[in-house]
Amino acid sequence: MIAEKLLRESNKHKGVCVGLDTDLKYIPDYIMSKDVSLSEKVFEFNKLIIDAVCDEVACFKVQIAYYESLGLEGLSAYSRTLKYLASKEKISIADIKRGDIAATAEKYAEAHFSGEFEADYVTLNAYMGEDAISPFYSYFQTGAKGAFVLVKTSNPSGVDIQNIEVNHEYVYQLMAKNVAKWGAQFVDDSGFSSIGAVIGLTYPDEIKRIKPLMPNTFFLIPGYGAQGGTGKDLAQLFSEGICGVVNSSRGIIAAHVKKGLEVGFEEESRKAVLAMKEDIGKWL
Amino acid sequence: MIAEKLLRESNKHKGVCVGLDTDLKYIPDYIMSKDVSLSEKVFEFNKLIIDAVCDEVACFKVQIAYYESLGLEGLSAYSRTLKYLASKEKISIADIKRGDIAATAEKYAEAHFSGEFEADYVTLNAYMGEDAISPFYSYFQTGAKGAFVLVKTSNPSGVDIQNIEVNHEYVYQLMAKNVAKWGAQFVDDSGFSSIGAVIGLTYPDEIKRIKPLMPNTFFLIPGYGAQGGTGKDLAQLFSEGICGVVNSSRGIIAAHVKKGLEVGFEEESRKAVLAMKEDIGKWL
């Protein structure tokens, strides 16, 4: 089952998830100047990073917006990246944040759980309610696929809707209860459901408040590094029994940019992964 | 300005928006059996429908999920369809329901307001708050682009989150106020903002309740036909001064399927558009 596999990988690698939010500006000139397609250039960058870090991380999150912005060539690189992760037997999370209903949502499920864009996990938005999630259930039933539903996001204006207060509860807590309810039917032997939740590391207190509402939920936790979340925050959550993977994107794949390096970006990404694991580990 | 243009087109054509939710099962065998790429087949189907109805409709909505499910070939057809609509000077609404933040949302804006996937309007999901919308503002400022933000959707489980009650108000009403507030800076001479709202026709009473909260908002109204909304419902909304376009997808582009027809699907789509306009017109 997918949740069990992710839990195992997470325990092995301190929950580290590498975000492949590949912006062209991170790709060194020596790759960009090659006489190959844009898809090839983007994929080469990703592949070198994957090769450099994959024995040290729990999973990879691929943010589709970066690839969509490059059109068909970008989406070709997206497809190749997911296939490469599958060939290395690494868990892929397609960060697509899709949210639609009925036949349309079935098409999204087909798009991202089979064919050229097949991933192990997707991220979903449930503003439209369970109808946005249920078309994915048949894939969860196979045990091979899972999703993370947005509950409490790490950005400042996340409060606009998520922190509307209803009888001493916030909308994000009601969302948490819904997600737990929908996921109850997909809990595997590890005790975790194929339906996980996205909760930003920038709100560690809110994660603690959410946890009792979602006892069988595995978390995808963005917000480490660039967005302000620390290894100490994360280690505290882990020590309280909260299970999840924590994503870092720029901090890993653009580690070379800060140093002004071109050649050797993949070694820099590996160093950044090891530093992140040390930062989390020292508080555990 | 885009809202002014859409209002003019809507007034001319009784608000009719044709949804190009192109499922392969709607495409006749005589096209599917051609020795051309899948992109070419899907595009040929769309092109014949666009040619058959474009002088009778306000705009087209292209549901990207259908194209994503066909991988790169599907997205190539999606791109060609948007470019063809632009060449015919018809307004395109990219039904993408994207919702992400910061640099990621900027990438979505770039993806869908420029380059291969350029459309006039996009649909957006603001569960993540204004951060999911503001990266699109620079495009709204040009006057050439607009968005429809999900407020109250037409599906049964839309109530899960949208109808949570807060001090005698629903979450969708709070969302409506937020969308109106964000859109206030983009109101053009027509009195309408570049930021519109999605509200399902299946809830006409709720649309009336929302209207006073959003005096400068143009609506995208799904739910006509297959989902239960009627011409009478819509005409009543129009007569109360609610401005918007109403989308029909299957009812138009799959009109031939019900009749078991293959050849001549484009004439059937035109007949369906004319029947829809008559259905709305007789109540006006």
Side-chain angles (χ1 to χ4, degrees):
Chain A
M1 304 292 275
I2 191 72
E4 196 168 359
K5 187 176 170 195
L6 185 54
L7 178 69
R8 203 167 51 234
E9 289 296 307
S10 178
N11 286 339
K12 224 190 300 185
H13 298 297
K14 299 192 171 65
V16 172
C17 172
V18 171
L20 295 169
D21 302 13
T22 303
D23 197 307
L24 292 188
K25 68 188 179 202
Y26 305 154
I27 305 180
D29 282 344
Y30 85 85
I31 293 177
M32 287 307 290
S33 61
K34 284 188 182 179
D35 188 23
V36 294
S37 67
L38 185 61
S39 162
E40 185 66 37
K41 293 170 189 175
V42 174
F43 176 63
E44 182 177 344
F45 177 82
N46 286 353
K47 181 177 176 297
L48 285 168
I49 288 187
I50 293 166
D51 288 342
V53 305
C54 71
D55 62 323
E56 290 286 349
V57 305
C59 58
F60 291 83
K61 181 170 84 60
V62 193
Q63 173 49 261
I64 198 170
Y66 283 80
Y67 304 86
E68 271 182 47
S69 75
L70 302 175
L72 295 169
E73 284 289 314
L75 287 161
S76 162
Y78 175 79
S79 170
R80 295 168 79 178
T81 301
L82 289 173
K83 283 178 186 159
Y84 190 65
L85 289 171
S87 78
K88 304 278 262 186
E89 294 182 5
K90 295 308 290 186
I91 295 172
S92 57
I93 302 170
D95 196 356
I96 58 175
K97 295 190 180 68
R98 301 301 192 250
D100 214 305
I101 54 160
T104 303
E106 282 171 26
K107 292 294 176 187
Y108 276 135
E110 195 185 324
H112 299 283
F113 279 157
S114 69
E116 285 178 299
F117 305 137
E118 182 174 356
D120 297 311
Y121 273 93
V122 293
T123 58
L124 297 175
N125 182 322
Y127 182 71
M128 297 179 90
E130 189 178 9
D131 294 335
I133 313 300
S134 57
F136 293 80
Y137 288 177
S138 63
Y139 293 90
F140 302 153
Q141 266 150 8
T142 67
K145 304 294 176 192
F148 292 100
V149 181
L150 298 182
V151 168
K152 173 66 193 159
T153 62
S154 59
N155 58 306
S157 84
V159 299
D160 287 348
I161 301 300
Q162 298 160 30
N163 285 44
I164 292 171
E165 204 178 334
V166 188
N167 301 326
H168 311 293
E169 277 191 314
Y170 291 116
V171 163
Y172 74 79
Q173 291 169 297
L174 299 171
M175 180 68 94
K177 287 183 195 173
N178 273 326
V179 173
K181 187 176 70 186
W182 305 332
Q185 63 194 297
F186 305 112
V187 176
D188 71 15
D189 292 341
S190 69
F192 288 99
S193 172
S194 305
I195 304 186
V198 178
I199 304 187
L201 183 57
T202 36
Y203 302 99
D205 290 342
E206 287 174 330
I207 301 182
K208 290 178 208 166
R209 213 175 302 154
I210 288 167
K211 170 68 184 164
L213 307 175
M214 318 186 83
N216 303 109
T217 303
F218 196 85
F219 295 102
L220 168 60
I221 308 174
Y224 178 87
Q227 288 181 61
T230 67
K232 189 177 175 184
D233 294 332
L234 191 71
Q236 278 183 348
L237 296 177
F238 287 169
S239 68
E240 296 188 27
I242 289 163
C243 286
V245 287
V246 63
N247 182 69
S248 178
S249 300
R250 265 168 297 172
I252 310 281
I253 71 166
H256 60 293
V257 176
K258 257 195 223 163
K259 295 192 182 176
L261 290 171
E262 284 257 318
V263 179
F265 66 90
E266 60 271 46
E267 286 85 3
E268 290 304 317
S269 69
R270 185 177 175 87
K271 281 186 214 163
V273 163
L274 297 176
M276 180 175 170
K277 290 174 85 169
E278 201 189 316
D279 177 37
I280 297 165
K282 74 181 173 208
W283 301 101
L284 284 177
Chain B
M1 304 292 275
I2 192 71
E4 196 168 358
K5 186 175 169 195
L6 185 54
L7 178 69
R8 202 166 51 233
E9 289 296 307
S10 178
N11 285 340
K12 225 192 295 186
H13 298 297
K14 299 192 171 64
V16 172
C17 172
V18 171
L20 296 169
D21 301 12
T22 302
D23 197 308
L24 292 188
K25 68 187 180 204
Y26 305 155
I27 304 180
D29 282 344
Y30 85 84
I31 293 177
M32 287 307 290
S33 62
K34 284 188 183 179
D35 188 23
V36 295
S37 67
L38 185 62
S39 162
E40 184 65 37
K41 292 170 189 176
V42 173
F43 176 63
E44 181 178 343
F45 178 82
N46 285 354
K47 182 178 177 298
L48 285 168
I49 288 186
I50 294 166
D51 288 342
V53 306
C54 70
D55 63 323
E56 290 287 347
V57 306
C59 58
F60 291 83
K61 182 170 83 62
V62 193
Q63 172 50 259
I64 198 170
Y66 284 80
Y67 304 87
E68 270 182 49
S69 75
L70 303 175
L72 295 169
E73 284 289 314
L75 287 161
S76 163
Y78 175 78
S79 170
R80 295 167 80 177
T81 301
L82 290 173
K83 283 179 185 157
Y84 190 64
L85 289 171
S87 78
K88 304 277 263 186
E89 295 182 5
K90 295 307 291 186
I91 295 172
S92 58
I93 302 169
D95 196 356
I96 57 174
K97 296 191 179 66
R98 299 300 192 252
D100 214 304
I101 53 160
T104 303
E106 281 170 27
K107 292 294 177 187
Y108 276 136
E110 195 184 322
H112 299 283
F113 280 158
S114 69
E116 285 178 300
F117 304 137
E118 181 175 356
D120 298 312
Y121 273 92
V122 293
T123 58
L124 297 176
N125 182 322
Y127 182 71
M128 296 179 89
E130 188 176 11
D131 293 336
I133 314 299
S134 55
F136 293 80
Y137 288 177
S138 63
Y139 293 90
F140 302 153
Q141 267 150 7
T142 66
K145 303 294 177 192
F148 291 100
V149 181
L150 298 183
V151 168
K152 173 66 191 159
T153 62
S154 58
N155 59 306
S157 83
V159 299
D160 287 348
I161 301 301
Q162 297 160 29
N163 285 44
I164 292 170
E165 205 178 333
V166 189
N167 301 326
H168 312 292
E169 277 191 314
Y170 291 117
V171 163
Y172 73 78
Q173 290 169 298
L174 300 171
M175 180 68 94
K177 287 183 196 173
N178 273 326
V179 173
K181 187 177 71 186
W182 303 332
Q185 62 193 299
F186 304 112
V187 176
D188 71 14
D189 292 341
S190 70
F192 288 98
S193 172
S194 305
I195 304 185
V198 178
I199 305 187
L201 183 57
T202 37
Y203 302 98
D205 289 343
E206 287 174 330
I207 301 182
K208 289 178 207 165
R209 213 175 301 153
I210 288 167
K211 170 67 184 165
L213 308 175
M214 318 186 83
N216 303 109
T217 302
F218 195 86
F219 296 101
L220 169 60
I221 307 173
Y224 178 88
Q227 288 183 60
T230 67
K232 190 177 176 185
D233 294 331
L234 191 71
Q236 278 183 348
L237 296 177
F238 285 168
S239 68
E240 295 188 28
I242 289 163
C243 287
V245 287
V246 62
N247 182 69
S248 179
S249 300
R250 265 169 296 172
I252 311 282
I253 71 167
H256 61 292
V257 176
K258 258 196 224 162
K259 295 191 181 176
L261 290 171
E262 283 258 317
V263 180
F265 67 90
E266 61 272 44
E267 285 86 0
E268 290 304 316
S269 69
R270 185 176 176 88
K271 280 186 213 163
V273 162
L274 296 176
M276 180 175 169
K277 290 173 84 170
E278 202 189 315
D279 177 38
I280 298 164
K282 74 181 174 209
W283 301 101
L284 284 177

